[in-house]
Amino acid sequence: MDDLSTKLRKEPCAREGYLYGMSIGVGVAVLRFVKKGSLLSAGNWGVVAFAVGSVVSKKLCCFQRAHYHAKVNTLLEKHLSPTSQGHVDGFEDSQQPIAGDSSKKEPPS
């Protein structure tokens, strides 16, 4: 059991997928039991719903994570690229002194 819990912690989206799968499976099993009255049929539907719900939820979570990481990497590459250093939002560095900057005084004429 300890090995399974360790794997679940390391695998991204596994915990979320299993929890959604369990919730969907129990919900479908209860609805099927109320509708048909057969415990065997409700159990079968619940297991299938658990399996499908877990896989779909895990895949959706992994897709969302990959999309998020791609957006973050794109933003990091855009703002940390060597061509953008020294520039702020497309404005190039100005060589003119800043008003009130005493370090760049013009020589007296």
Side-chain angles (χ1 to χ4, degrees), residues 28-29 37 48 50-51 62-64 79 82 88 95-96 105:
V28 167
V48 170
F50 163 74
C62 288
F63 173 76
Q64 289 172 340
H79 291 291
V88 177
Q95 297 298 325
Q96 297 177 4
K105 293 183 179 177

Side-chain angles (χ1 to χ4, degrees), residues 18 24 27 71 73 76 97 105:
Y18 286 128
I24 293 169
K71 278 176 54 174
N73 286 337
L76 286 175
K105 293 183 179 177

Side-chain angles (χ1 to χ4, degrees), residues 12-22 24 49-64:
C13 299
R15 180 178 181 270
E16 181 179 329
Y18 286 128
L19 288 174
Y20 276 118
M22 284 188 272
I24 293 169
F50 163 74
V52 171
S54 294
V55 170
V56 170
S57 176
K58 185 175 185 301
K59 291 295 182 184
L60 182 62
C61 177
C62 288
F63 173 76
Q64 289 172 340

Side-chain angles (χ1 to χ4, degrees), residues 45-105:
W45 277 83
V47 169
V48 170
F50 163 74
V52 171
S54 294
V55 170
V56 170
S57 176
K58 185 175 185 301
K59 291 295 182 184
L60 182 62
C61 177
C62 288
F63 173 76
Q64 289 172 340
R65 281 176 51 94
H67 183 69
Y68 172 77
H69 287 294
K71 278 176 54 174
V72 168
N73 286 337
T74 303
L75 289 173
L76 286 175
E77 288 172 1
K78 180 180 175 184
H79 291 291
L80 297 179
S81 67
T83 59
S84 69
Q85 289 180 355
H87 304 286
V88 177
D89 294 334
F91 294 105
E92 295 191 20
D93 289 338
S94 174
Q95 297 298 325
Q96 297 177 4
I98 300 173
D101 186 9
S102 61
S103 64
K104 295 194 178 199
K105 293 183 179 177

